[in-house]
Amino acid sequence: MKIATYNVNGVNGRLPVLLRWLGETMPDVACLQELKAPQEKFPEQAILDAGYEVIWHGQKSWNGVAILSRIGAIKEIRRVLPGDPEDVHSRYIEAVVNDVLIACLYLPNGNPAPGPKFDYKLSWFERLTTHAKQLLAQEIPVVLTGDFNVIPTPQDVYKPERWVDDALFRPETRAAFQKLTAQGWTDAIRKLYPEEKIYTYWDYFRDAFGRDAGLRIDHFLLSPQLETRLTAAGVDRQVRGWEKSSDHAPVWIELK
DNA sequence: ATGGCTCCATACTGGAGA
């Protein structure tokens, strides 16, 4: 079972790239973030025509998440991260596909930090951590995936010293990620590639992709029930080089 | 220290992203 995550940065503007990527790499499940489309403007028919079932939670202008499957029914569990009825951002959707619970998330960026946006990031992170603990308690196969907007370690950024004050790399952010993973989650990419330089994002400025000046911020966290089923993982770097690409590249794992 | 680029909105400019 191949599961992928891709921050598309606008699902309608990205549609040709998205469809090409789906056709060439054929993930069984694809989690999308940053749809940047209201619920009724999601390109449902194009996704169906590509052979995928889909559920999504859109929002005007910003955020938005989706889960696609070409291996059968998507059983939606929830489309809101519990813990704050006031939070109206579309940043979370959760479903069971093929007996694996898949949480597709878009964690807030948090810049500028410090400030209210950073506070929102940390409080969202705490809600995620609380919910993740409840998922672990079910002792079932769970994947937490998406754009975490977290650079976990200095190994995950081209020039760590430039990022120390950034919301993606500040000590509070790294500590929150550490606290989450310490519950018992496995960082799939790092389990298979503990020493490699692996990035999932390159900004649009100054030929960052050409210089490989990137970040690793899109992650797969696996519950203990999946750890021994992980057989492969990678980043579809080539997609970042395509015309009209997102600033993120897709990331994927294989489960046996 | 700043801005570089790209997306979307209702747009010829601004907010947000990371």
Coordinates of all heavy atoms in Angstrom, one line a residue, chain A residues 203-253:
Chain A
D203 N 12.0 26.9 -1.5 CA 11.2 28.1 -1.8 C 11.4 28.6 -3.2 O 12.2 28.1 -4.0 CB 11.4 29.2 -0.8 CG 12.7 29.9 -0.9 OD1 13.2 30.1 -2.0 OD2 13.3 30.3 0.2
Y204 N 10.5 29.4 -3.7 CA 10.5 29.9 -5.1 C 11.6 30.9 -5.4 O 11.8 31.2 -6.5 CB 9.1 30.5 -5.4 CG 7.9 29.6 -5.5 CD1 6.8 29.7 -4.8 CD2 7.9 28.5 -6.5 CE1 5.7 28.9 -4.9 CE2 6.9 27.7 -6.6 CZ 5.7 27.9 -5.8 OH 4.7 27.0 -6.0
F205 N 12.3 31.4 -4.4 CA 13.2 32.4 -4.6 C 14.6 31.9 -4.9 O 15.0 30.9 -4.5 CB 13.4 33.3 -3.3 CG 12.1 33.6 -2.6 CD1 12.0 33.7 -1.2 CD2 11.0 34.0 -3.4 CE1 10.8 34.0 -0.6 CE2 9.8 34.3 -2.7 CZ 9.7 34.3 -1.3
R206 N 15.3 32.7 -5.7 CA 16.7 32.5 -5.9 C 17.1 31.1 -6.3 O 18.1 30.6 -5.7 CB 17.5 33.0 -4.7 CG 17.4 34.5 -4.4 CD 18.3 35.0 -3.3 NE 18.0 34.4 -2.0 CZ 18.4 34.8 -0.9 NH1 19.3 35.9 -0.9 NH2 18.1 34.3 0.2
D207 N 16.3 30.5 -7.1 CA 16.7 29.1 -7.6 C 17.0 28.2 -6.4 O 18.0 27.4 -6.4 CB 17.9 29.2 -8.5 CG 18.2 27.9 -9.2 OD1 17.2 27.2 -9.5 OD2 19.3 27.6 -9.6
A208 N 16.2 28.2 -5.4 CA 16.4 27.4 -4.2 C 16.5 25.9 -4.6 O 17.3 25.1 -4.0 CB 15.3 27.6 -3.1
F209 N 15.6 25.5 -5.5 CA 15.6 24.0 -5.9 C 16.9 23.7 -6.6 O 17.6 22.7 -6.4 CB 14.4 23.7 -6.7 CG 14.3 22.3 -7.1 CD1 14.2 21.3 -6.1 CD2 14.3 21.9 -8.4 CE1 14.1 19.9 -6.5 CE2 14.2 20.5 -8.8 CZ 14.1 19.6 -7.8
G210 N 17.3 24.6 -7.5 CA 18.6 24.4 -8.3 C 19.8 24.3 -7.4 O 20.7 23.5 -7.6
R211 N 19.7 25.1 -6.3 CA 20.9 25.0 -5.3 C 20.7 24.0 -4.2 O 21.5 23.8 -3.3 CB 21.0 26.4 -4.6 CG 21.4 27.5 -5.6 CD 21.6 28.9 -4.9 NE 20.3 29.3 -4.3 CZ 20.1 29.5 -3.0 NH1 21.1 29.2 -2.1 NH2 19.0 30.0 -2.5
D212 N 19.5 23.3 -4.3 CA 19.1 22.3 -3.3 C 19.1 22.9 -1.9 O 19.6 22.3 -0.9 CB 20.0 21.1 -3.3 CG 19.3 19.9 -2.6 OD1 18.1 19.9 -2.5 OD2 20.1 19.0 -2.1
A213 N 18.7 24.2 -1.8 CA 18.5 24.9 -0.5 C 17.1 24.6 0.0 O 16.2 25.4 -0.2 CB 18.8 26.4 -0.7
G214 N 16.9 23.5 0.6 CA 15.6 23.0 1.0 C 15.4 22.8 2.5 O 16.3 23.0 3.3
L215 N 14.2 22.3 2.7 CA 13.8 22.0 4.1 C 13.1 20.6 4.1 O 12.4 20.3 3.1 CB 12.8 23.0 4.7 CG 13.0 24.5 4.4 CD1 11.8 25.3 4.9 CD2 14.3 24.9 5.2
R216 N 13.1 19.9 5.2 CA 12.3 18.7 5.3 C 11.2 19.0 6.3 O 11.4 19.1 7.5 CB 13.1 17.5 5.8 CG 12.3 16.2 5.7 CD 13.1 15.0 6.1 NE 13.4 14.9 7.5 CZ 12.7 14.1 8.3 NH1 11.7 13.4 7.9 NH2 13.0 14.1 9.6
I217 N 10.0 19.3 5.8 CA 8.9 19.7 6.7 C 7.6 18.9 6.4 O 6.6 19.0 7.1 CB 8.5 21.2 6.5 CG1 8.2 21.5 5.0 CG2 9.7 22.0 7.0 CD1 7.8 23.0 4.8
D218 N 7.6 18.0 5.4 CA 6.4 17.1 5.2 C 6.8 15.7 5.7 O 7.8 15.2 5.2 CB 6.1 17.1 3.7 CG 5.8 18.5 3.1 OD1 4.6 18.9 3.2 OD2 6.8 19.2 2.7
H219 N 6.0 15.2 6.6 CA 6.4 14.0 7.3 C 5.3 12.9 7.3 O 4.2 13.2 7.1 CB 6.7 14.4 8.8 CG 7.7 15.5 8.9 ND1 9.0 15.4 8.4 CD2 7.6 16.7 9.4 CE1 9.6 16.5 8.7 NE2 8.8 17.4 9.3
F220 N 5.8 11.7 7.6 CA 5.0 10.5 7.9 C 5.3 10.0 9.3 O 6.5 9.6 9.5 CB 5.2 9.4 6.9 CG 4.5 9.6 5.6 CD1 5.1 10.2 4.5 CD2 3.2 9.1 5.4 CE1 4.5 10.3 3.3 CE2 2.5 9.2 4.2 CZ 3.2 9.8 3.1
L221 N 4.4 10.0 10.2 CA 4.6 9.4 11.5 C 3.7 8.2 11.6 O 2.5 8.2 11.3 CB 4.2 10.4 12.6 CG 5.0 11.8 12.6 CD1 4.6 12.6 13.8 CD2 6.5 11.5 12.6
L222 N 4.3 7.1 11.9 CA 3.6 5.8 12.0 C 3.4 5.3 13.4 O 4.3 5.4 14.2 CB 4.5 4.7 11.2 CG 5.0 5.1 9.8 CD1 5.8 3.9 9.3 CD2 3.9 5.5 8.9
S223 N 2.2 4.7 13.6 CA 2.0 4.1 14.9 C 2.8 2.8 15.0 O 3.2 2.2 14.0 CB 0.5 3.8 15.1 OG 0.1 2.8 14.3
P224 N 3.0 2.3 16.2 CA 3.8 1.0 16.4 C 3.3 -0.1 15.5 O 4.0 -1.0 15.1 CB 3.7 0.7 17.9 CG 3.4 2.1 18.5 CD 2.6 2.8 17.5
Q225 N 2.0 -0.2 15.3 CA 1.4 -1.3 14.5 C 1.8 -1.2 13.0 O 1.6 -2.2 12.3 CB -0.2 -1.2 14.6 CG -0.7 -1.5 15.9 CD -0.5 -0.4 17.0 OE1 -0.3 0.8 16.6 NE2 -0.6 -0.7 18.2
L226 N 2.4 -0.1 12.6 CA 2.9 0.0 11.2 C 4.4 -0.1 11.1 O 4.9 -0.2 9.9 CB 2.3 1.3 10.6 CG 0.9 1.4 10.3 CD1 0.5 2.7 9.7 CD2 0.5 0.3 9.3
E227 N 5.1 0.0 12.2 CA 6.5 0.2 12.1 C 7.2 -1.0 11.3 O 8.0 -0.7 10.4 CB 7.1 0.2 13.5 CG 8.4 1.0 13.5 CD 8.9 1.1 15.0 OE1 8.1 1.0 15.9 OE2 10.2 1.2 15.1
T228 N 6.7 -2.2 11.5 CA 7.4 -3.3 10.9 C 6.8 -3.5 9.4 O 7.3 -4.4 8.7 CB 7.2 -4.6 11.7 OG1 5.8 -4.8 11.9 CG2 7.9 -4.5 13.0
R229 N 5.8 -2.8 9.1 CA 5.2 -2.9 7.8 C 5.8 -1.9 6.8 O 5.5 -2.0 5.6 CB 3.7 -2.7 7.8 CG 2.9 -3.9 8.5 CD 1.5 -3.6 8.6 NE 0.8 -3.3 7.4 CZ -0.5 -2.9 7.3 NH1 -1.2 -2.9 8.4 NH2 -1.1 -2.7 6.1
L230 N 6.7 -1.0 7.3 CA 7.3 0.0 6.4 C 8.4 -0.7 5.5 O 9.4 -1.2 6.1 CB 7.9 1.1 7.2 CG 8.6 2.2 6.5 CD1 7.7 3.0 5.6 CD2 9.4 3.1 7.5
T231 N 8.2 -0.6 4.2 CA 9.2 -1.2 3.3 C 10.0 -0.2 2.5 O 11.1 -0.5 2.0 CB 8.6 -2.2 2.4 OG1 7.6 -1.5 1.6 CG2 7.9 -3.4 3.2
A232 N 9.4 1.0 2.3 CA 10.1 1.9 1.4 C 9.5 3.3 1.7 O 8.4 3.4 2.2 CB 10.0 1.6 0.0
A233 N 10.3 4.3 1.4 CA 9.9 5.7 1.5 C 10.7 6.6 0.6 O 11.9 6.2 0.3 CB 9.9 6.2 3.0
G234 N 10.2 7.7 0.2 CA 11.0 8.6 -0.6 C 10.3 9.9 -0.9 O 9.2 10.2 -0.5
V235 N 11.0 10.8 -1.7 CA 10.5 12.1 -2.1 C 10.5 12.1 -3.6 O 11.5 11.7 -4.2 CB 11.4 13.2 -1.5 CG1 10.8 14.6 -2.0 CG2 11.4 13.2 0.0
D236 N 9.4 12.5 -4.2 CA 9.3 12.6 -5.7 C 9.9 14.0 -6.1 O 9.2 14.9 -6.5 CB 7.9 12.5 -6.2 CG 7.3 11.1 -6.0 OD1 8.1 10.1 -6.1 OD2 6.1 10.9 -5.8
R237 N 11.2 14.1 -5.9 CA 11.9 15.4 -6.2 C 11.7 15.9 -7.6 O 11.6 17.1 -7.8 CB 13.4 15.2 -6.0 CG 13.9 15.2 -4.6 CD 15.4 15.0 -4.6 NE 16.1 16.1 -5.3 CZ 16.8 17.0 -4.7 NH1 16.8 17.1 -3.4 NH2 17.4 18.0 -5.4
Q238 N 11.6 15.0 -8.5 CA 11.4 15.4 -9.9 C 10.2 16.3 -10.1 O 10.2 17.2 -11.0 CB 11.4 14.2 -10.9 CG 10.0 13.5 -10.9 CD 9.8 12.5 -9.7 OE1 10.7 12.4 -8.8 NE2 8.7 11.8 -9.7
V239 N 9.2 16.1 -9.3 CA 7.9 16.9 -9.5 C 8.2 18.4 -9.2 O 7.6 19.3 -9.8 CB 6.8 16.3 -8.6 CG1 5.6 17.2 -8.7 CG2 6.5 14.9 -8.9
R240 N 9.1 18.6 -8.3 CA 9.4 20.0 -7.9 C 10.1 20.8 -9.1 O 10.0 22.0 -9.2 CB 10.3 20.0 -6.7 CG 10.8 21.4 -6.2 CD 9.6 22.3 -5.8 NE 10.0 23.6 -5.3 CZ 10.2 24.6 -6.1 NH1 10.2 24.4 -7.4 NH2 10.6 25.8 -5.6
G241 N 10.7 20.0 -10.0 CA 11.3 20.6 -11.2 C 10.4 20.8 -12.3 O 10.8 21.4 -13.3
W242 N 9.1 20.4 -12.2 CA 8.2 20.5 -13.4 C 7.7 22.0 -13.5 O 7.8 22.7 -12.5 CB 7.0 19.6 -13.2 CG 7.2 18.2 -13.3 CD1 8.4 17.6 -13.7 CD2 6.4 17.1 -13.0 NE1 8.3 16.2 -13.6 CE2 7.0 15.9 -13.2 CE3 5.0 17.0 -12.5 CZ2 6.5 14.6 -13.0 CZ3 4.4 15.8 -12.3 CH2 5.1 14.6 -12.6
E243 N 7.3 22.3 -14.7 CA 6.7 23.6 -14.9 C 5.5 23.8 -14.0 O 4.7 22.9 -13.8 CB 6.2 23.6 -16.4 CG 6.0 25.0 -17.0 CD 7.3 25.7 -17.3 OE1 8.4 25.1 -17.4 OE2 7.3 27.0 -17.4
K244 N 5.4 25.0 -13.5 CA 4.2 25.4 -12.6 C 4.1 24.5 -11.4 O 3.0 24.1 -11.0 CB 2.9 25.4 -13.4 CG 2.8 26.4 -14.5 CD 2.5 27.8 -14.1 CE 1.0 27.9 -13.8 NZ 0.7 29.2 -13.2
S245 N 5.2 24.1 -10.8 CA 5.3 23.2 -9.7 C 4.9 23.9 -8.4 O 5.0 25.2 -8.2 CB 6.7 22.7 -9.5 OG 6.9 22.2 -8.2
S246 N 4.4 23.1 -7.4 CA 4.3 23.6 -6.0 C 5.7 23.9 -5.5 O 6.7 23.4 -6.0 CB 3.6 22.6 -5.2 OG 3.7 22.9 -3.8
D247 N 5.8 24.6 -4.3 CA 7.1 24.7 -3.7 C 7.4 23.5 -2.9 O 8.6 23.3 -2.4 CB 7.2 26.0 -2.9 CG 6.0 26.4 -2.1 OD1 5.0 25.6 -2.1 OD2 5.9 27.5 -1.6
H248 N 6.4 22.6 -2.6 CA 6.7 21.3 -2.0 C 6.8 20.2 -3.0 O 6.2 20.4 -4.1 CB 5.5 21.0 -1.1 CG 5.3 21.9 0.1 ND1 5.6 21.5 1.4 CD2 4.9 23.1 0.2 CE1 5.3 22.5 2.2 NE2 4.9 23.5 1.5
A249 N 7.5 19.1 -2.7 CA 7.5 17.9 -3.5 C 6.7 16.9 -2.8 O 6.6 16.9 -1.5 CB 8.9 17.4 -3.7
P250 N 6.1 15.9 -3.5 CA 5.4 14.8 -2.8 C 6.3 13.9 -2.1 O 7.5 13.7 -2.5 CB 4.7 14.1 -4.0 CG 4.7 15.0 -5.2 CD 5.9 15.9 -5.0
V251 N 5.8 13.4 -1.0 CA 6.6 12.4 -0.2 C 5.7 11.1 -0.1 O 4.5 11.2 -0.1 CB 6.8 12.9 1.2 CG1 7.8 12.0 2.0 CG2 7.4 14.3 1.1
W252 N 6.3 9.9 0.0 CA 5.5 8.7 0.0 C 6.1 7.6 0.8 O 7.4 7.7 1.1 CB 5.3 8.2 -1.5 CG 6.6 8.0 -2.2 CD1 7.3 8.9 -3.0 CD2 7.4 6.8 -2.2 NE1 8.4 8.4 -3.4 CE2 8.6 7.1 -3.0 CE3 7.4 5.6 -1.6 CZ2 9.6 6.2 -3.2 CZ3 8.4 4.7 -1.8 CH2 9.5 5.0 -2.6
I253 N 5.3 6.7 1.2 CA 5.8 5.5 1.9 C 5.1 4.3 1.3 O 4.0 4.4 0.7 CB 5.5 5.5 3.5 CG1 4.0 5.6 3.7 CG2 6.2 6.7 4.1 CD1 3.6 5.3 5.1

